[in-house]
Amino acid sequence: MLRLNAPNFADQFAALENVTRLMNTKGINFIKVSTLFAALFFTAACSIDSQTTTTEEQTKTTSDTSSDQSQPIGEAPEDMVWVPGGHFMMGSEDQTATSNEGPAYKVEISGFWMDTHEVTNAEYRAFVEATGYQTVAERPIDWEEIKKQLPPGTPRPPDHVLQPGSLIFAPPHQAVPLDDYSRWWAWQTGADWQHPNGPGSTIEGKDNFPVVHIAYEDAQAYAEWAGKRLPTEAEWEYAARGGNSNLPFAWGDELTPSGKYLANFFQGDFPYNNSGQDGFAGAAPIKSFKPNGYGLYDMIGNVWEWSADWYRPDTHVKQASMTVCKDPSGPESSYDPSEPYAEKRVIKGGSYLCSEEYCSNYRPSARMATAIDSGQEHLGFRCVKDANAQL
């Protein structure tokens, strides 16, 4: 099973004009810096208990334990639910996990409010109408910013390429090798949250679908306007488990227990034949599947969701050396050895394009690196709110 990184804006943008085909997932790196060296610059916001705990003792803790952090007094914020604080084992060492998901380690989370569902087209429209905000995909492209993600000396593409747009899923009509995502991802001029497949496409009649083509700053801007924030990776993963034990999938040990589909992901032959056995061949309206134990919908599948954490492949390695990580907020900077020039955040949850054949990231512990300027057809977000924030 291949597990390749999702594309980012700089990769596909450069590839259009054959500027560079090196910064893709074929394993070619411009700078080969070891993870151990990079780890010297890693700092995570964790508190360490006074007593030590061995790795063996940590692995015995397999279930989430809620603390006494009861729901704050007063009415709940609209369309949000209270996620009570507690302990859980973050990450995974299961056979389905990728190397950047382990080792698992104990984390303590404080209680928080979380959106019951992904931010919808209707909700994002309200924000745009109130503020006049323009998403990254709708703005003129700034070559000075883009070239920071590319190797030094990369030539400037022609002006007709430097047009607003985003990445869309453009599946081939037949089976293709799964070693190059440019076979099914394409840069589409004019693609944005209101035109998810480019000019001529529309979100009319899709008010209750998750908004997509949202870059990190687009999600952050909405969260600030709404008086909320984006979840940390730890908060997101804890909430996605729904209070269940530390199992591979949010609902248990099997992807489709008794043949039932509990989330929106890709069935069939990836990437050209989505059989839609779960009822959807693309994104689904919010709340199309049952909520988890905390009352949260679509934490797994449908569209990827931004977290607030910078991405590093060694995050879990460093934090696992601590006894207990309390409310971790991730590293202080980004580093992805496969694309060392790009600044990336962690996205979580997988999407309707995750497949057993290619990208089985429909698990709470799964984590993907995505460039902060990258809007994609299968990437959205939801927000959280602190317990002591004004309701």
Side-chain angles (χ1 to χ4, degrees):
M1 181 185 300
L2 292 174
R3 303 178 190 275
L4 304 181
N5 283 343
N8 72 46
F9 177 89
D11 287 341
Q12 292 292 330
F13 168 74
L16 276 175
E17 293 298 313
N18 200 27
V19 174
T20 178
R21 296 283 294 172
L22 296 179
M23 292 184 70
N24 59 23
T25 53
K26 292 182 178 179
I28 303 173
N29 297 334
F30 288 96
I31 298 178
K32 292 184 178 294
V33 182
S34 71
T35 299
L36 289 177
F37 178 80
L40 293 174
F41 300 97
F42 178 95
T43 303
C46 286
S47 62
I48 305 176
D49 285 356
S50 58
Q51 297 181 351
T52 60
T53 302
T54 66
T55 301
E56 180 180 0
E57 288 171 335
Q58 287 185 11
T59 57
K60 290 179 181 178
T61 306
T62 59
S63 62
D64 300 339
T65 304
S66 294
S67 72
D68 60 356
Q69 296 184 68
S70 57
Q71 179 172 322
I73 298 174
E75 293 185 9
E78 184 178 2
D79 289 328
M80 301 189 86
V81 293
W82 177 248
V83 180
H87 296 84
F88 80 112
M89 294 299 291
M90 185 170 179
S92 176
E93 298 169 29
D94 186 80
Q95 61 180 2
T96 61
T98 58
S99 60
N100 71 355
E101 295 175 45
Y105 57 100
K106 192 173 184 179
V107 170
E108 179 181 349
I109 294 291
S110 300
F112 57 94
W113 297 100
M114 192 173 211
D115 288 344
T116 60
H117 56 77
E118 296 146 336
V119 173
T120 65
N121 287 322
E123 290 169 329
Y124 206 79
R125 183 188 301 113
F127 158 62
V128 169
E129 290 177 348
T131 63
Y133 184 83
Q134 190 176 50
T135 63
V136 170
E138 297 170 287
R139 303 172 199 165
I141 293 174
D142 186 346
W143 169 243
E144 294 303 313
E145 286 299 316
I146 295 299
K147 73 178 184 181
K148 294 176 183 178
Q149 299 188 38
L150 301 170
T154 298
R156 186 183 189 277
D159 289 340
H160 76 269
V161 177
L162 296 173
Q163 300 299 317
S166 190
L167 290 161
I168 66 168
F169 180 58
H173 298 295
Q174 67 285 323
V176 294
L178 300 180
D179 61 350
D180 183 357
Y181 56 70
S182 67
R183 293 187 173 100
W184 56 88
W185 281 102
W187 174 258
Q188 177 62 60
T189 299
D192 56 50
W193 73 275
Q194 298 182 90
H195 309 94
N197 295 109
S201 63
T202 179
I203 57 172
E204 185 176 351
K206 294 186 175 182
D207 278 0
N208 64 337
F209 277 67
V211 66
V212 293
H213 292 297
I214 298 297
Y216 179 78
E217 66 182 83
D218 302 331
Q220 193 173 42
Y222 174 93
E224 292 177 358
W225 171 77
K228 304 177 183 180
R229 60 177 175 81
L230 296 179
T232 65
E233 181 181 6
E235 288 173 333
W236 193 101
E237 186 170 328
Y238 176 74
R241 295 188 182 281
N244 291 331
S245 55
N246 194 33
L247 299 171
F249 302 102
W251 45 79
D253 288 310
E254 300 179 39
L255 177 59
T256 54
S258 302
K260 294 181 180 179
Y261 290 94
L262 303 178
N264 181 15
F265 60 93
F266 193 105
Q267 299 93 47
D269 305 303
F270 187 86
Y272 69 98
N273 176 36
N274 189 339
S275 62
Q277 291 171 269
D278 58 12
F280 304 94
I286 60 167
K287 301 184 179 182
S288 292
F289 296 85
K290 292 183 178 180
N292 70 10
Y294 292 137
L296 299 166
Y297 294 86
D298 303 315
M299 292 293 287
I300 301 299
N302 213 25
V303 298
W304 284 96
E305 299 181 18
W306 285 107
S307 80
D309 288 21
W310 289 111
Y311 174 82
R312 292 185 67 97
D314 58 350
T315 297
H316 288 4
V317 174
K318 295 298 294 182
Q319 294 186 161
S321 65
M322 304 177 183
T323 305
V324 176
C325 238
K326 180 175 173 57
D327 294 325
S329 57
E332 292 186 337
S333 61
S334 164
Y335 178 73
D336 182 351
S338 67
E339 295 170 323
Y341 297 97
E343 291 185 304
K344 298 186 177 184
R345 302 273 182 174
V346 177
I347 59 174
K348 301 284 284 183
S351 79
Y352 62 86
L353 293 179
C354 284
S355 163
E356 290 186 274
E357 297 179 336
Y358 179 71
C359 163
S360 57
N361 286 318
Y362 31 61
R363 296 167 291 105
S365 61
R367 56 200 308 264
M368 188 74 80
T370 295
I372 57 176
D373 65 352
S374 177
Q376 301 170 29
E377 189 181 338
H378 66 343
L379 175 56
F381 71 106
R382 77 178 71 206
C383 302
V384 297
K385 196 178 186 80
D386 294 325
N388 58 359
Q390 184 176 358
L391 301 182

